[in-house]
Amino acid sequence: MDKTLSRDGTSIAYRRRGDGPPVVLVGGALSTAADEAPLAALLAPRFTVVTYDRRGRGASGDSGPYTPRREIEDLAAVVAAAGEHVSVFGMRSGGALALEACAAGLPAGLLAVYEPPYTPGPAGLMHKARGTALLHRLLADGDRAGAVALHLSRSGVPEATIARMRRAPLWGGLEALAHTLAYDDALLGDGSVPAGRLSAVRSRTLVVTGGFSAPEVQEATLDVAAGVPRARHRTLTGQTSELAPHVMAPVLADFFSRDRILRNAS
């Protein structure tokens, strides 16, 4: 993997695939560049696709203390390394990061996000507050397994599935990333959709949700789309929070190609 330096000197590892206009993929919680490889491979015939290990993951560094601003600067460094006229796709909390970065002036002409995990509404905000408190308590106690299980449960993964995952080889890798769950949690603030900041996003934006996702998830993505001035919303039939790369790839390819032409024409 190649390396670039964030503003605070943290080394951020990234990988480049394919040939064509640059696209940066921003992974969600507990993911690394390797997890974005299937989607990157599907996009690579038409784009130069850049995947990266977010701060504290994989081959990237982790200079503390953490603030969302540092992750915005990390993404800005990756975008700068990717080249000019970059498009960005963010998955789940990676989508929240990409939105915050674009609101702060990230030079991405086109932005697509899938289900940024905001939890608006009184019940959602209370759920977020309780989850944040419990997550920090588990991490402070060194219970990395408990932190991972909490995240999965809050994401809608059934307890029986979590129990099976605990016995699988992948569990150790998830525990190694457990401390970064606090980073994703911080990116989401109190859980409300940050309408004021979203109004500063100037990128043409596609906000996507799964047709089989929970109603509150779909409502949150509609709120995000309403908050971004140049956004449109799309629902992918049959998809959930576990998005299939082969379903998302043609949607992104169409958006990043056709809307690039529209952007250049304007």
Side-chain angles (χ1 to χ4, degrees):
M1 297 181 77
D2 293 321
K3 299 286 183 73
T4 187
L5 291 180
S6 189
R7 178 175 291 183
D8 70 350
T10 300
S11 178
I12 304 297
Y14 68 94
R15 175 164 291 147
R16 196 187 305 260
R17 297 175 178 82
D19 184 43
V23 172
V24 173
L25 305 184
V26 187
L30 298 178
S31 69
T32 65
D35 297 298
E36 304 305 313
L39 178 58
L42 292 170
L43 293 172
R46 297 177 61 179
F47 303 94
T48 298
V49 187
V50 177
T51 57
Y52 76 105
D53 288 338
R54 285 174 52 192
R55 176 177 293 250
R57 312 179 191 202
S60 289
D62 192 13
S63 304
Y66 177 84
T67 66
R69 167 59 60 180
R70 289 179 182 244
E71 277 229 76
I72 291 172
E73 292 169 353
D74 297 347
L75 178 52
V78 174
V79 165
E84 297 182 346
H85 308 299
V86 175
S87 301
V88 174
F89 170 62
M91 178 73 182
R92 300 282 291 159
S93 58
L97 170 56
L99 286 164
E100 293 284 358
C102 287
L106 185 78
L110 299 171
L111 169 65
V113 297
Y114 188 82
E115 295 188 354
Y118 298 111
T119 53
L125 298 186
M126 183 174 294
H127 177 73
K128 173 65 165 59
R130 289 173 174 170
T132 296
L134 180 54
L135 173 64
H136 283 282
R137 186 159 64 248
L138 290 168
L139 292 175
D141 291 343
D143 187 357
R144 301 174 75 88
V148 172
L150 172 67
H151 167 73
L152 295 174
S153 178
R154 290 172 69 190
S155 300
V157 179
E159 293 300 321
T161 301
I162 296 174
R164 288 195 298 271
M165 291 175 68
R166 282 178 178 268
R167 299 190 294 271
L170 61 81
W171 189 260
L174 297 179
E175 283 194 26
L177 300 174
H179 63 289
T180 65
L181 290 171
Y183 303 172
D184 292 274
D185 187 79
L187 281 167
L188 299 170
D190 65 358
S192 60
V193 174
R197 292 195 299 278
L198 294 185
S199 67
V201 175
R202 295 294 174 258
S203 310
R204 289 185 183 272
T205 303
L206 177 65
V207 182
V208 187
T209 189
F212 281 178
S213 293
E216 57 268 25
V217 173
Q218 299 188 40
E219 291 172 10
T221 58
L222 286 170
D223 289 346
V224 171
V228 177
R230 305 173 73 195
R232 65 178 185 264
H233 182 271
R234 177 167 178 176
T235 299
L236 296 183
T237 303
Q239 294 301 295
T240 66
S241 296
E242 296 297 321
L243 177 63
H246 72 275
V247 174
M248 193 69 213
V251 174
L252 291 177
D254 178 68
F255 175 62
F256 289 148
S257 297
R258 182 167 51 83
D259 278 61
R260 184 181 297 274
I261 295 172
L262 293 174
R263 184 193 67 188
N264 292 339
S266 62

